[in-house]
Amino acid sequence: QVQLVESGGGLVQAGGSLRLSCAASRSIFSLNAMGWYRQAPGKPRELVAIIHSSGSTKYVDSVKGRFTISRDNAKNTVYLQMNSLKPEDTAVYVCHLDATNFWGQGTQVTVSS
């Protein structure tokens, strides 16, 4: 069993930055990729960024150049640095351990125009 706990969401003006954290209850990054998903009201959930056990990363086109996913193995934590935020980034952001049913509880990000 793995528990994932997100933090770092909030309200920010357009152009601002936030850093989300996802802390895992035990060491998992050597085996599985970790992803950040988001879901806005009335829209399907989408994968925003993923970091593989190798350290390679991928991003959805809409956040490339603005968001950065990273991890700290010693802290069992994955981060999502979000810069140049736009109102369309408003959503609940959730972290997920790839190929499992382990999801965090989600953190709300609201970007005002």
Side-chain angles (χ1 to χ4, degrees), residues 94-112:
V94 186
C95 60
H96 172 238
L97 182 60
D98 194 44
T100 72
N101 290 322
F102 300 130
W103 295 82
Q105 82 285 356
T107 186
Q108 177 70 46
V109 171
T110 303
V111 184
S112 63

Side-chain angles (χ1 to χ4, degrees), residues 37-85:
Y37 289 74
R38 67 185 179 187
Q39 187 164 19
K43 293 186 178 180
R45 184 171 60 197
E46 70 170 344
L47 176 61
V48 175
I50 190 166
I51 183 165
H52 295 274
S53 55
S54 64
S56 64
T57 58
K58 287 185 179 180
Y59 300 89
V60 68
D61 286 346
S62 60
V63 308
K64 284 181 180 177
R66 300 189 297 122
F67 290 12
T68 302
I69 189 170
S70 62
R71 70 183 185 214
D72 184 332
N73 291 342
K75 295 182 178 180
N76 297 330
T77 300
V78 172
Y79 303 97
L80 186 67
Q81 178 67 44
M82 306 185 294
N83 299 327
S84 301
L85 283 161

Side-chain angles (χ1 to χ4, degrees), residues 31-42:
L31 298 177
N32 296 77
M34 285 290 297
W36 280 101
Y37 289 74
R38 67 185 179 187
Q39 187 164 19

